[in-house]
Amino acid sequence: MREWWIHVGLICIPLVAVYLHIPPPQLSPALQKWHSAGQVFYFRGRKVFYRDSYGALGSSDVVILLHGFPTSSYDWNKIWEPLTQRFHRVVAPDFLGFGFSEKPRPHKYSIFEQASVVEALVVHLGLINQRVNVVSHDYGDTVALELLYRSEQNRTGHLTLNSLCLSNGGIFPETHYPRLLQTLLKDSSFLAPVLTRLTNYMMFQKGIGEVFGPYTQPTDAEFWDMWTGLRYNDGNLVLDSILRYINQRLKHRERWVGALTSTLVPLHMIYGPLDPVNPHPQFIRLYQKKLPKWSTVTILDEHISHYPQLEDPTGFLNAYFNFIHSF
């Protein structure tokens, strides 16, 4: 009997080893096109991917797009072209550890570092003296709040913000409900190395699908592109390190929420109300209670969930352009 189990173990060990070293998937034509259109700059010796498109003639307006977790700048692909028709320049980085950027490990990922990545990119692009508009989503919302804080404090190298538009980010820890896998990984427990290696496409598809509305699910190709971006440069292996941002939100709540509630920068929130991560109505009620009366909110259709720019790109754009034209 013991010998039988030994034989099974000897067979399973190499199979598991092969499984855990499955190479990342090839880029789809759409993702390859996005990658080819991008560029790279170096932040503290690390490669950071970004897109930078020149658009509307006769305009000097710049918009910077900050993506969410666990995806990438490709989250903005459905609204990219319309934005280039309105803005002179449209810029979107992949944060360190995401998308086509470098994904060092071990590494202490932090919101503070990602904000410095954005500031360094602005310097790299020669935009340090330019008033910029920022649109952010999810994880990017918290990075945007750190940028806002630095701007309010007049820190060296800070962005000069013309406006800020947030979307479906867990900016209030008390109304933020991370998914089960995020909760398991965020404290980098002994399970983290196992879970990050065992994460596969089916698990990923199920998890991402749960934060999209039932009528706005990604196509199979879109799911696969998200997964490919995550697996690029073994990004699945740094998920636990990145997820420490959930604890950082709690620790630095007063800093980031304080910047949001005291700023005079024009503010807008575009919100998908079916979001299970930042649920309606708790999240939006707290947002409206805490923020200045002049801060505005657009609540999209009831079937729109956590990824409004992908689930309802037209509604997202209409809300954003209405906001931009309001001041």
Side-chain angles (χ1 to χ4, degrees):
M1 188 71 174
R2 183 185 301 175
E3 291 180 356
W4 182 80
W5 281 106
I6 291 173
H7 287 304
V8 170
L10 290 174
I11 293 171
C12 289
I13 287 171
L15 290 176
V16 170
V18 169
Y19 170 74
L20 295 179
H21 289 86
I22 292 175
Q26 296 294 310
L27 304 187
S28 69
L31 208 54
Q32 182 63 59
K33 182 179 179 182
W34 186 266
H35 180 258
S36 298
Q39 302 173 66
V40 167
F41 86 106
Y42 285 85
F43 173 79
R44 299 173 185 170
R46 305 290 191 183
K47 289 183 180 179
V48 175
F49 173 87
Y50 67 94
R51 287 288 310 269
D52 177 20
S53 292
Y54 286 85
L57 298 175
S59 170
S60 60
D61 293 345
V62 175
V63 63
I64 299 175
L65 311 175
L66 305 179
H67 68 81
F69 175 91
T71 42
S72 70
S73 60
Y74 193 60
D75 288 352
W76 306 107
N77 77 91
K78 291 186 178 182
I79 64 173
W80 192 265
E81 288 305 318
L83 287 174
T84 63
Q85 294 170 21
R86 166 58 181 81
F87 290 92
H88 172 61
R89 209 160 173 184
V90 183
V91 178
D94 282 352
F95 291 125
L96 202 64
F98 293 79
F100 295 124
S101 289
E102 196 166 334
K103 299 170 179 177
R105 67 179 199 277
H107 187 78
K108 292 184 178 179
Y109 292 92
S110 74
I111 295 297
F112 301 103
E113 180 182 54
Q114 304 290 19
S116 295
V117 167
V118 178
E119 289 178 337
L121 176 58
V122 167
V123 171
H124 174 75
L125 297 176
L127 297 172
I128 192 62
N129 296 317
Q130 174 83 40
R131 296 181 66 83
V132 298
N133 302 283
V134 172
V135 180
S136 59
H137 171 245
D138 184 67
Y139 179 89
D141 280 7
T142 307
V143 178
L145 294 187
E146 173 59 20
L147 292 168
L148 179 64
Y149 176 84
R150 295 181 186 187
S151 178
E152 297 291 307
Q153 297 296 313
N154 203 27
R155 295 283 184 91
T156 301
H158 71 82
L159 272 63
T160 304
L161 293 172
N162 188 56
S163 72
L164 173 58
C165 179
L166 308 166
S167 59
N168 285 80
I171 55 180
F172 304 115
E174 58 268 43
T175 61
H176 180 244
Y177 297 88
R179 314 310 290 164
L180 176 60
L181 185 59
Q182 291 178 322
T183 302
L184 292 173
L185 289 175
K186 71 180 178 69
D187 295 316
S188 295
S189 68
F190 69 94
L191 288 174
V194 177
L195 292 174
T196 54
R197 287 189 175 274
L198 289 177
T199 299
N200 57 39
Y201 174 70
M202 291 180 64
M203 293 169 61
F204 174 82
Q205 183 184 36
K206 182 178 185 299
I208 288 290
E210 288 174 351
V211 299
F212 277 74
Y215 308 114
T216 55
Q217 289 286 301
T219 64
D220 289 343
E222 289 168 343
F223 272 126
W224 192 251
D225 282 341
M226 291 180 189
W227 173 243
T228 301
L230 174 64
R231 284 296 319 278
Y232 192 87
N233 286 338
D234 293 326
N236 56 304
L237 302 184
V238 301
L239 289 175
D240 57 324
S241 299
I242 292 173
L243 276 164
R244 293 172 187 167
Y245 79 87
I246 296 175
N247 296 331
Q248 292 166 22
R249 279 175 172 168
L250 182 60
K251 181 178 180 179
H252 302 288
R253 183 191 185 283
E254 296 309 311
R255 177 188 181 101
W256 293 330
V257 175
L260 189 64
T261 57
S262 63
T263 187
L264 296 178
V265 170
L267 285 173
H268 190 66
M269 167 65 73
I270 301 176
Y271 178 63
L274 201 57
D275 186 358
V277 183
N278 307 286
H280 188 270
Q282 300 100 301
F283 170 78
I284 209 66
R285 282 178 179 169
L286 184 58
Y287 182 88
Q288 292 173 320
K289 177 181 177 181
K290 293 287 186 182
L291 263 69
K293 298 299 182 184
W294 46 261
S295 175
T296 52
V297 174
T298 298
I299 300 177
L300 298 175
D301 290 347
E302 61 183 13
H303 64 276
I304 305 301
S305 188
H306 185 66
Y307 275 85
Q309 75 276 37
L310 291 174
E311 297 179 65
D312 185 9
T314 300
F316 191 99
L317 282 168
N318 287 340
Y320 184 58
F321 287 153
N322 287 337
F323 164 60
I324 283 293
H325 296 147
S326 69
F327 59 89

